Amino acid sequence: MGKKTAMSEQTRKKLKEAFLELCEKNGISNVTVGAVTKKAGYNRCTFYNYYDDLRSMLDEIEDTVIEQIRLKMPEIFSNGIPEDISTVFPLLLSVFEEYGNTLYILLGRNGDAAFRERLRKTVKEFFREMFKGHINPERLEYMLTYVVSAGLGLIEHWYETGKEYSTEDFFKLTQSLLANGILEQLKSEANNP
């Protein structure tokens, strides 16, 4: 990588980091190019050398996250749904470690509804293909809607509450909910306070 390319990547990175920090604090719809460039230490001209507008920057960020998730899904479920669901969490954790805060910003209440929908669609498409010919498509759609909506809801809540559970505890609870179902989990928690 040449020196100019490395500097370009560093500039892009600083602009995106400034943008995400402002999004987390103010909400995506309240961020301006001027605020991003000021926070990143650049001028507006520099911003427009890299992006057409804030939407193009947001699209680049979202595309990167979606692509990483899309690449991880086959690895996570290479042998179908595992008997021991805990085996998938180390792989999911790598995505969370790299993109956790970005996911929180994009999925949070001040995030981007379009991203939330893209993520749902990406995950559902993967599982539709995985179970094609094995599960009735109409029934599968209900199951996928339930699991994806519940999973995203848990992630959003976890971040909104300041990640009060450690990542390991969060994944253990999620695993238990997926493996046992919410009713079994409620009974278990009520019987063992």
Side-chain angles (χ1 to χ4, degrees):
M1 179 184 304
K3 191 173 186 176
K4 189 173 183 177
T5 305
M7 287 175 57
S8 293
E9 286 305 310
Q10 181 66 14
T11 302
R12 288 177 101 80
K13 182 180 179 193
K14 284 178 75 175
L15 287 167
K16 288 188 278 190
E17 286 172 351
F19 174 71
L20 288 169
E21 285 178 34
L22 290 166
C23 288
E24 184 173 20
K25 182 179 178 186
N26 304 320
I28 289 175
S29 61
N30 298 316
V31 176
T32 65
V33 171
V36 170
T37 55
K38 183 178 180 182
K39 183 156 192 65
Y42 297 110
N43 60 40
R44 293 173 69 88
C45 195
T46 300
F47 177 89
Y48 289 112
N49 283 333
Y50 293 94
Y51 300 102
D52 294 333
D53 52 24
L54 290 173
R55 184 73 232 182
S56 65
M57 176 186 278
L58 181 60
D59 287 344
E60 183 178 294
I61 293 167
E62 291 178 357
D63 290 347
T64 300
V65 174
I66 292 285
E67 186 58 25
Q68 288 306 306
I69 290 170
R70 186 176 284 131
L71 290 172
K72 279 287 184 196
M73 294 292 284
E75 184 181 345
I76 293 169
F77 297 101
S78 60
N79 297 314
I81 301 293
E83 289 294 320
D84 179 6
I85 196 85
S86 68
T87 61
V88 305
F89 291 114
L91 297 168
L92 285 174
L93 186 57
S94 67
V95 174
F96 273 86
E97 287 173 344
E98 187 164 354
Y99 297 105
N101 197 50
T102 302
L103 278 170
Y104 164 63
I105 293 164
L106 296 174
L107 292 172
R109 67 182 72 151
N110 291 325
D112 184 18
F115 174 76
R116 190 177 297 111
E117 193 50 42
R118 280 182 68 196
L119 184 56
R120 273 191 179 99
K121 183 178 177 185
T122 298
V123 173
K124 287 172 85 172
E125 283 174 359
F126 173 81
F127 283 111
R128 272 189 213 109
E129 191 60 34
M130 184 175 165
F131 290 111
K132 190 176 185 175
H134 300 284
I135 298 176
N136 173 290
E138 291 81 20
R139 290 182 62 79
L140 179 61
E141 198 59 33
Y142 278 96
M143 289 184 262
L144 293 178
T145 298
Y146 175 80
V147 169
V148 171
S149 295
L152 288 177
L154 284 170
I155 292 167
E156 289 172 35
H157 182 72
W158 184 48
Y159 278 110
E160 285 173 4
T161 58
K163 293 173 28 177
E164 60 192 2
Y165 287 114
S166 69
T167 303
E168 184 179 326
D169 287 343
F170 172 73
F171 281 134
K172 282 181 182 176
L173 175 60
T174 304
Q175 171 190 338
S176 180
L177 289 169
L178 286 171
N180 303 321
I182 185 64
L183 295 178
E184 286 302 316
Q185 186 68 29
L186 286 171
K187 279 194 269 183
S188 172
E189 300 270 336
N191 292 332
N192 299 305

